[in-house]
Amino acid sequence: MLDTRPRRTFAVISHPDAGKSTITEALALHARAINEAGAVHGKGDRKATVSDWMAMEKARGISITSAALQFEYRDHVVNLVDTPGHSDFSEDTYRVLSAVDSAVMLVDAGKGLEPQTLKLFRVCALRGIPVITVINKWDRPGLSPLELMDMIERQIKLRPTPLTWPVGEAGDFRGVLDRRTGEFIKYTRTAGGATIAPEKRMASDEVSEADRLVWDNAVEEHGLLELDEADHDQARFLAGETTPVMFASALQNFGVAQLLDLLLELAPAPGPTEGVDGTVREPDDDFSAFVFKVQSGMNSAHRDRLAYARIVSGEFERGMVVTHASTGRPFATKFAQTVFGRETTSVENAYPGDIIGLVNANALRVGDTIFTGPKIEYAGVPSFAPEHFMTVSAGDIGRFKQFRKGIEQLDQEGVVQVLRSDLRGDQNPVLAAVGPLQFEVVEDRMVNEFNSPVRFARLDYKVARLTDAEGAEALKGMRGCEVLQRSDGTHVVLFADSWRANATARDNPSITLEALPAGGA
Ligand code: G4P
């Protein structure tokens, strides 16, 4: 049966530690609690949705994997796509952002805009993703709200349009002024941060004496914002010119309900998408989807390989046979799952905006399109500029077969870029990473999953440029650079520094040397 409920597909992004995991779980539990007739969940339940599955992630306390969490809220289906938190994995975050229609940016009220915050805002701008900004941790001392607005405007060049305004300074969070109704939404602290923090809406004249001073202050600042025309404008928000702002404490569940309501009200629904040849698929056309992440090892018992695909158009039915755009071959979708952390559920049907995990998808790579009906192919997910380079070889030459298989698999998943050349041969490929932590993931997985210890040797390169076949030919043998090839056929030229890359470009104006977007923190 066709599921016509509207969808919202978004990601929560932030600098590490701003509260992404906390708010993700609060959103999910809040929605679930609402749907389960108002049951209140305490903090103990949060443990159930912890999204880490690799032992290494646990040890480091960071989330390396990405998956999607789906829940219902007020007759909508909400898809929350999880993003990795560590800056080394910004390439992964970038890919995830190709699968969402909007993003929620968390800013730590005490720290303001941090390096990763700025970078993520830039990535959203580049991809045209509208951003809702949440100033989190308002229960703790922090910057003044006007100062934070000023930072967003100056450093990100996005106009902040607060929808709520805090009543009480950071550290003394009484509630918020709903700037569109003028009401006071008063919060009450609950023990242990239960899922639904009690909220009470009241008109200005109902505000108690105890809250009067801070309320008047909020009203005054709201007036300043009005004078400054910092009010929400849906068209400008969708065009990426403004960012609606709200204030919250994820830990205490303050503002979580408002965020969900805002997502339903303001965030865009899945829309038409253009293919590389300019043809456009509307959400109700034939089925199409693109793969934005490939992952294996979710379940060490059967080592499944999952390709996460975002549905662009049409209805997905389990078992349907689709066409793999890059090979033209049929792909049978025997099983599909929704996955979040350890919880997997088999999917029978899915719709535009939904994320499906396709099982046994050995042929699918990041950026690939699958479809039914007339051919469509979506632009691949662009990659960031690698800045760290190592050669890798099998630590145990007797396990070369496992080594080759593992490296190929990690390459296809996009864990790291694998570069090869005739000169280096298959036994000694070059690994290129945006951040050094990617090498640790390679080492960990090669040992634990592929049973092949590896040896790394550092290479003295810092800069990569892309070239074409002619450029690769011309540059081969030239001093100060090395020409290699990615498994998708792209020619990559490595230089010791950007000075040398620029000099080579200057001395050889006919050779194409293209830079990739910077990804490092
Ligand atoms: P991340 O995924 O963005 O990296 O952040 P995470 O949710 O793990 O939160 C980082 C820390 O900030 C956690 O504290 C978390 O409890 C705290 N935190 C998140 N939201 C709020 C908030 O609204 N107010 C306050 N005061 N703290 C918040 P921790 O000590 O590292 O972990 P834990 O022991 O509390 O779990």
Side-chain angles (χ1 to χ4, degrees):
M1 199 183 71
L2 200 64
D3 179 356
T4 54
R5 287 173 301 175
R7 253 80 179 158
R8 292 291 180 274
T9 301
F10 74 104
V12 177
I13 50 183
S14 70
H15 191 90
D17 242 26
K20 187 162 63 72
S21 320
T22 310
I23 207 159
T24 298
E25 286 163 14
L27 284 168
L29 289 173
H30 188 86
R32 193 185 295 172
I34 294 279
N35 289 336
E36 286 170 8
V40 177
H41 296 256
K43 192 172 178 178
D45 278 10
R46 280 180 53 194
K47 302 279 183 273
T49 50
V50 171
S51 59
D52 52 352
W53 55 269
M54 269 173 96
M56 196 179 129
E57 277 183 278
K58 263 192 247 152
R60 290 179 172 275
I62 56 172
S63 164
I64 298 173
T65 60
S66 301
L69 174 69
Q70 187 177 68
F71 54 83
E72 285 171 36
Y73 183 67
R74 289 181 28 206
D75 293 328
H76 285 62
V77 175
V78 179
N79 293 304
L80 201 177
V81 186
D82 193 18
T83 57
H86 197 282
S87 62
D88 279 355
F89 292 87
S90 52
E91 187 160 16
D92 220 8
T93 306
Y94 201 98
R95 288 186 202 128
V96 167
L97 289 176
S98 68
V100 301
D101 300 312
S102 61
V104 169
M105 172 70 74
L106 278 191
V107 175
D108 184 323
K111 297 192 179 138
L113 302 178
E114 299 176 86
Q116 187 84 342
T117 327
L118 294 170
K119 203 167 71 192
L120 286 162
F121 265 118
R122 270 204 303 278
V123 171
C124 289
L126 214 64
R127 300 202 67 92
I129 299 165
V131 181
I132 295 174
T133 302
V134 175
I135 310 289
N136 189 33
K137 305 196 186 181
W138 202 256
D139 59 295
R140 282 216 306 226
L143 303 166
S144 91
L146 285 170
E147 195 177 349
L148 283 160
M149 296 309 100
D150 196 44
M151 281 172 146
I152 294 174
E153 180 122 40
R154 275 186 301 109
Q155 295 182 37
I156 303 172
K157 313 266 181 284
L158 257 187
R159 183 137 181 87
T161 55
L163 293 166
T164 64
W165 197 250
V167 177
E169 59 181 20
D172 178 26
F173 201 8
R174 316 272 181 103
V176 291
L177 188 167
D178 181 339
R179 293 196 60 226
R180 293 185 293 181
T181 64
E183 287 169 309
F184 179 26
I185 307 175
K186 186 173 167 59
Y187 296 140
T188 312
R189 211 177 268 250
T190 55
T195 306
I196 301 173
E199 292 181 2
K200 197 171 170 224
R201 275 184 180 264
M202 60 184 86
S204 184
D205 54 13
E206 292 165 342
V207 174
S208 72
E209 266 319 299
D211 291 330
R212 181 53 62 185
L213 204 65
V214 285
W215 169 255
D216 286 346
N217 190 45
V219 170
E220 192 188 320
E221 289 180 340
H222 160 61
L224 291 176
L225 293 168
E226 256 178 352
L227 283 178
D228 201 28
E229 293 177 359
D231 297 327
H232 176 70
D233 176 325
Q234 183 67 5
R236 292 190 68 200
F237 161 58
L238 294 179
E241 295 169 24
T242 65
T243 179
V245 179
M246 48 167 292
F247 292 78
S249 165
L251 196 64
Q252 295 179 347
N253 289 297
F254 288 177
V256 174
Q258 282 150 35
L259 177 58
L260 273 173
D261 290 340
L262 276 185
L263 278 163
L264 265 44
E265 185 192 339
L266 307 180
T273 305
E274 196 177 320
V276 281
D277 64 358
T279 51
V280 170
R281 283 244 172 150
E282 297 289 339
D284 57 4
D285 286 344
D286 288 321
F287 170 82
S288 70
F290 66 89
V291 176
F292 64 97
K293 181 164 186 66
V294 174
Q295 194 168 66
S296 71
M298 293 289 284
N299 184 340
S300 53
H302 4 96
R303 209 158 281 170
D304 0 333
R305 173 153 173 206
L306 278 175
Y308 293 103
R310 141 99 195 208
I311 300 182
V312 175
S313 63
E315 182 183 4
F316 172 82
E317 288 173 86
R318 185 167 75 85
M320 79 194 290
V321 178
V322 299
T323 306
H324 179 204
S326 64
T327 59
R329 294 214 183 99
F331 175 78
T333 58
K334 285 197 196 88
F335 298 101
Q337 334 183 295
T338 52
V339 185
F340 189 73
R342 290 192 190 82
E343 293 176 22
T344 58
T345 328
S346 184
V347 170
E348 294 296 326
N349 300 82
Y351 300 88
D354 292 349
I355 308 294
I356 47 173
L358 296 164
V359 180
N360 284 334
N362 290 331
L364 300 183
R365 287 167 177 248
V366 168
D368 282 0
T369 302
I370 49 174
F371 65 93
T372 62
K375 181 171 178 178
I376 181 89
E377 189 160 12
Y378 300 111
V381 183
S383 52
F384 270 131
E387 288 169 17
H388 303 268
F389 304 89
M390 298 258 200
T391 60
V392 63
S393 54
D396 173 356
I397 205 66
R399 311 199 71 80
F400 182 64
K401 232 173 94 185
Q402 288 88 333
F403 169 79
R404 200 164 53 188
K405 185 163 167 251
I407 293 293
E408 193 184 310
Q409 168 82 38
L410 299 182
D411 184 19
Q412 289 180 7
E413 288 182 30
V415 169
V416 70
Q417 290 182 37
V418 181
L419 309 175
R420 294 187 170 85
S421 69
D422 293 343
L423 216 61
R424 292 194 180 269
D426 218 13
Q427 316 212 338
N428 223 358
V430 174
L431 303 186
V434 177
L437 198 57
Q438 281 171 267
F439 297 122
E440 286 185 39
V441 177
V442 170
E443 184 170 20
D444 185 86
R445 292 192 51 190
M446 287 300 286
V447 171
N448 293 319
E449 238 173 86
F450 299 98
N451 215 350
S452 167
V454 288
R455 253 200 299 265
F456 292 118
R458 195 175 192 80
L459 287 171
D460 210 8
Y461 297 123
K462 284 268 175 305
V463 172
R465 296 272 190 272
L466 304 186
T467 189
D468 49 23
E470 275 171 29
E473 210 43 56
L475 289 165
K476 260 180 206 160
M478 207 179 271
R479 276 182 41 219
C481 67
E482 179 171 347
V483 184
L484 296 126
Q485 205 168 9
R486 282 204 306 232
S487 50
D488 66 359
T490 310
H491 298 277
V492 181
V493 194
L494 305 185
F495 297 92
D497 48 50
S498 53
W499 183 85
R500 258 169 266 228
N502 295 340
T504 306
R506 203 174 44 238
D507 296 346
N508 303 279
S510 62
I511 294 180
T512 310
L513 280 173
E514 190 192 322
L516 286 151

